[in-house]
Amino acid sequence: MTGSEGGTRTSGSGDIVRTLELLWDTGRRPSRGPKPGLTLERIVEAAVRVADAEGLEAVSMRRVATELGTGTMSLYRYVPGKAELLDLMLDRVQRPSDDPADLGDGGWRSALEALGRATLALYRRHPWLLQVNQSRPILGPSALDGMEKMLSRIKSMGLTDPELVSAIVAVDGYVVGAARTQLYEAEVERRTGLTDTEFWAAQAPVLEKFMASGRYPMLAGLSEDAFGRDFDHFEFGLQRILDGLEVLVARRAGAGDGTEDRARAEDGARAKDGAEDGPRAEDRAGNKDGGQGRSRGGGAD
């Protein structure tokens, strides 16, 4: 089962203090239990395996215990419950890569480009992530390590701190939408038993009739490959976002004549006006897709 089935889960819905203790290894350690080799790390990894194979709705303390070949109650020696386990799972799968090359060639553009691709790959490996509202994340080592690495790579953009964060949020939000679309495309074929080719072929007679009617000249005039699957829409969109940021970076660089200060003031005023007019863009995006628009450094699990 895929991550879009079942209800939405919410990060940070368990015991926040205890979850932070488990994430940062600052709390009490459980006494040795009856099952040799059982550890918190093994429990989290087993829960991730279940979610990947069967969907997030299948993850329960009992199901994870079965995966590990132990009793359900033995898991409670390590983690209080399913809500806390979810936060541990999120931190585990979003663990950033230790290879500097995975964040591009050192420039800010290649770093954001790598972030976009890595985040898409993360959602493909763990589609259940799209089922989790992460608008209130519990910040563990993986989340902070990823953000630290990404900020260190894009600091050279010369933007303000809120703008640097917003650049990451923009890329992340774009990837979430693309990942959700790809997940739906894969899921609909499984659910209906109808391939994409068969689906569009069934519509062809009616569509061809109306294309020839003259009612839709622009659509009728499109090339045959306009909606072809060979075109990489994800890569095209990602590059255009980065192109826009490149224009902003160049404008901010200015010519030493006060252009940079004026640009900052103008952009800051627009951002303030937008905040006063309604919810922040990332908040609206979070409400729309379950709060997925949070920053991350690209998972390497």
Side-chain angles (χ1 to χ4, degrees):
M1 299 177 75
T2 59
S4 64
E5 296 175 347
T8 299
R9 302 283 183 85
T10 303
S11 63
S13 60
D15 184 329
I16 297 175
V17 174
R18 183 60 181 142
T19 301
L20 286 169
E21 290 177 345
L22 292 171
L23 284 170
W24 293 97
D25 195 21
T26 60
R28 61 189 183 278
R29 291 178 176 271
S31 58
R32 186 176 181 83
K35 180 69 175 180
L38 187 62
T39 64
L40 181 62
E41 182 75 6
R42 286 192 62 208
I43 293 171
V44 174
E45 289 178 350
V48 170
R49 287 197 303 272
V50 172
D52 289 346
E54 304 172 28
L56 188 59
E57 66 279 0
V59 178
S60 66
M61 300 298 275
R62 177 177 295 181
R63 178 64 185 85
V64 174
T66 300
E67 181 77 9
L68 292 167
T70 188
T72 303
M73 295 308 297
S74 62
L75 268 59
Y76 289 100
R77 301 169 64 89
Y78 297 85
V79 59
K82 191 164 61 174
E84 293 82 5
L85 179 58
L86 175 61
D87 288 316
L88 298 176
M89 293 166 62
L90 293 172
D91 193 74
R92 173 63 185 86
V93 301
Q94 296 180 69
R95 186 175 296 170
S97 170
D98 292 326
D99 186 354
D102 288 340
L103 281 181
D105 60 12
W108 68 262
R109 179 167 181 141
S110 65
L112 288 173
E113 187 175 44
L115 172 66
R117 293 170 181 164
T119 304
L120 181 63
L122 177 69
Y123 283 122
R124 285 173 171 170
R125 291 194 302 274
H126 310 291
W128 52 269
L129 283 170
L130 293 169
Q131 198 177 340
V132 183
N133 180 341
Q134 296 185 61
S135 58
R136 286 185 174 181
I138 300 293
L139 298 178
S142 293
L144 295 190
D145 286 349
M147 181 62 87
E148 179 71 17
K149 290 179 179 181
M150 185 54 57
L151 287 173
S152 69
R153 289 299 187 96
I154 68 172
K155 185 67 175 177
S156 61
M157 295 176 77
L159 305 180
T160 65
D161 290 345
E163 289 168 341
L164 290 175
V165 172
S166 189
I168 297 174
V169 169
V171 171
D172 185 76
Y174 169 72
V175 174
V176 167
R180 191 178 300 280
T181 298
Q182 292 182 10
L183 175 63
Y184 286 168
E185 288 174 347
E187 183 178 282
V188 72
E189 182 171 331
R190 179 186 62 80
R191 282 192 163 193
T192 65
L194 201 65
T195 67
D196 206 48
T197 300
E198 292 169 338
F199 174 78
W200 290 111
Q203 298 188 62
V206 173
L207 294 178
E208 288 172 358
K209 175 183 177 181
F210 283 98
M211 288 302 106
S213 70
R215 182 175 177 177
Y216 304 103
M218 292 301 299
L219 286 169
L222 292 176
S223 62
E224 292 186 0
D225 63 347
F227 296 101
R229 302 184 72 85
D230 293 335
F231 188 85
D232 192 338
H233 293 281
F234 172 79
E235 194 64 30
F236 179 84
L238 177 62
Q239 295 304 324
R240 301 299 73 78
I241 291 174
L242 299 178
D243 286 347
L245 288 171
E246 197 152 27
V247 171
L248 175 61
V249 169
R251 181 161 67 92
R252 287 293 178 81
D257 58 359
T259 302
E260 179 179 357
D261 291 338
R262 287 196 300 273
R264 285 180 186 272
E266 292 169 1
D267 291 337
R270 280 193 290 269
K272 182 178 180 181
D273 290 343
E276 291 175 348
D277 289 341
R280 293 177 301 169
E282 60 266 37
D283 289 340
R284 293 194 298 271
N287 290 335
K288 182 179 180 182
D289 11 287
Q292 297 299 330
R294 81 181 185 94
S295 54
R296 51 178 64 83
D301 63 303

